[in-house]
Amino acid sequence: MSHIDTLSVHAGYTPDATGAVMPPIYTSSTFAQKAPGEHSGYEYARSGNPTRGAFEKALAELEGGVAGFAFASGLAAMSTVLELLDAGSEIVALDDLYGGAWRLFEKVRSRTAGLKTRYVAPDDIAALRDAITPATKLVWLEIPTNPLLKIADLATVVEAAHAVGALVVVDATFSTPYLLKPLDYGVDIVLHSVTKYLNGHSDVIGGAVIVRTPELAERLAYLQNAVGGVMDPFSSFLALRGLRTLPLRMQRHSSNGLAVAEWLSAQAGVEKIAYPGLPSHPQHELAKRQFPRGFGGIVTIWLKADDAGVRRFLAALKVFTLAESLGGVESLVNLPWAMTHGSIPEDNRLRRGITPNLLRLSVGVEHIDDLLADLAAGLAAL
């Protein structure tokens, strides 16, 4: 199966002896053994579960990795990846990233493990190269970044990181394997918040890690079991079901996202817009090379409005729902200043360009005319 459209439907599972075309939900916490240590491949559900295993196998097949691992949340996946590092290790991370990742680095692992994180702009190649030194053990990227939608040149970063023996981790939640396969660029670990596009229906919390080498697969398998933040069987079933329609959804997310971005870029109430699919994006040419199938459904805008105007805009929306998260079939709008990135200190947010008038749109699969009419109503309320 060479096409991802076909692979997404069939990956991870073939009908069992019953002929079931979808894997059953195995809820058992433990499994019978014929003799001590002699089992069918499953002994305790934290260590392995057939339903979770089908989802993990599907993830690996879609990303082109040697193994996949499913976790109870995106942050559980991130936390387990960080367990690859020894205490006191140095990380180079992008200076525009998910607020929860920043909180994990700066408020948790800096204290409990002494991890030192240096931040650098993803669109400054020279600075990225300079930041990666022999002391660097891990380079942490998002592509695109959250919420400014900047693009890192993966080939360049991988070359610089591997030259000093550092691992490269890419959070590809926004892009998904339909739009980008980081492992093809030599990235070592791909990470996803399964909650978002992979599941696609805003009814599961989950995370995933896919690795490029058998050595990393062995280490992550050990850590997944030892740390224990695994995805439950029902969530695994739902996430695999969502994965089956990923190409269809991403095509619609991308076409709607581009249409919304083009329309908003011409509106007087919009101060600025970030979307990699627009020629105005500073890294548009790089984005076209790395995202040949489309640019996704996330659009970031800065309104020409004060706090009261932003609130009027949000209150006028009927199709876009004000909520955290993204990547579901429904359209969502988020105010990162007060929501997803509120844990980052104010001066840090402002320095990055995350201001009180910045909105992150997760453009869903609704009819484009309804989406544009809804945004027009919001702009009319400014």
Side-chain angles (χ1 to χ4, degrees):
M1 292 180 284
S2 59
H3 296 90
I4 192 169
D5 308 72
T6 304
L7 189 61
S8 67
V9 175
H10 296 279
Y13 178 74
T14 54
D16 62 13
T18 69
V21 297
M22 280 294 285
I25 304 173
Y26 289 88
T27 60
S28 181
S29 63
T30 191
F31 299 85
Q33 302 187 22
K34 294 180 180 179
E38 184 181 338
H39 51 76
S40 63
Y42 299 97
E43 49 188 324
Y44 187 64
R46 185 189 68 251
S47 306
N49 172 275
T51 312
R52 191 179 85 229
F55 177 54
E56 292 173 329
K57 183 180 179 183
L59 290 170
E61 292 182 32
L62 286 177
E63 287 284 7
V66 300
F69 304 91
F71 296 87
S73 68
L75 278 166
M78 293 179 187
S79 297
T80 306
V81 167
L82 292 180
E83 295 291 351
L84 291 167
L85 302 177
D86 293 332
S89 292
E90 181 179 294
I91 299 171
V92 170
L94 301 187
D95 67 354
D96 179 42
L97 79 169
Y98 168 51
W102 182 91
R103 183 175 58 225
L104 178 62
F105 294 157
E106 296 298 325
K107 299 298 184 181
V108 181
R109 291 308 176 89
S110 64
R111 175 179 57 83
T112 63
L115 298 185
K116 306 175 187 69
T117 305
R118 302 170 61 194
Y119 298 94
V120 62
D123 48 351
D124 189 337
I125 294 300
L128 267 170
R129 284 199 184 102
D130 290 342
I132 298 170
T133 73
T136 305
K137 301 303 180 185
L138 185 147
V139 179
W140 191 284
L141 311 175
E142 292 179 355
I143 186 162
T145 62
N146 181 7
L148 302 182
L149 304 183
K150 296 181 179 181
I151 309 295
D153 187 328
L154 289 181
T156 299
V157 175
V158 167
E159 180 182 13
H162 286 178
V164 299
L167 294 172
V168 180
V169 176
V170 170
D171 183 338
T173 296
F174 281 18
S175 49
T176 79
Y178 182 76
L179 299 180
L180 174 72
K181 292 186 178 181
L183 299 183
D184 290 348
Y185 291 82
V187 166
D188 300 291
I189 298 170
V190 177
L191 187 144
H192 291 278
S193 172
V194 173
T195 311
K196 315 305 193 293
Y197 287 109
L198 294 189
N199 177 61
H201 294 81
S202 300
D203 55 6
V204 163
I205 296 291
V209 171
I210 304 93
V211 297
R212 184 172 59 88
T213 67
E215 186 266 341
L216 278 173
E218 182 178 355
R219 293 173 68 188
L220 258 298
Y222 177 84
L223 289 171
Q224 183 191 42
N225 182 55
V227 178
V230 298
M231 180 177 280
D232 69 272
F234 187 58
S235 294
S236 300
F237 174 84
L238 289 176
L240 180 60
R241 185 182 67 173
L243 207 61
R244 299 309 196 205
T245 60
L246 178 66
L248 294 172
R249 291 184 285 105
M250 291 309 297
Q251 289 166 18
R252 185 60 170 260
H253 285 301
S254 294
S255 63
N256 276 355
L258 179 59
V260 164
E262 289 175 336
W263 183 85
L264 285 170
S265 65
Q267 303 307 306
V270 177
E271 176 184 292
K272 188 169 60 171
I273 185 168
Y275 185 73
L278 293 178
S280 60
H281 191 285
Q283 298 166 290
H284 178 60
E285 292 303 317
L286 174 61
K288 286 196 298 183
R289 293 198 301 272
Q290 291 190 162
F291 299 96
R293 288 196 179 100
F295 305 97
I298 304 299
V299 180
T300 296
I301 60 173
W302 289 258
L303 294 176
K304 292 180 181 177
D306 57 13
D307 290 348
V310 170
R311 290 180 179 274
R312 289 195 299 272
F313 175 89
L314 295 172
L317 300 177
K318 303 302 180 187
V319 179
F320 281 84
T321 299
L322 177 63
E324 304 214 8
S325 199
L326 57 100
V329 292
E330 68 290 324
S331 290
L332 301 178
V333 58
N334 169 51
L335 182 65
W337 179 265
M339 297 167 72
T340 52
H341 291 67
S343 61
I344 299 175
E346 182 175 317
D347 62 337
N348 194 324
R349 278 175 279 163
L350 291 172
R351 186 169 61 251
R352 297 183 187 192
I354 301 173
T355 56
N357 65 329
L358 182 154
L359 295 175
R360 189 189 69 194
L361 306 177
S362 175
V363 181
V365 302
E366 301 94 338
H367 196 285
I368 188 60
D369 291 349
D370 295 324
L371 294 176
L372 297 183
D374 198 46
L375 292 169
L379 292 172
L382 292 179

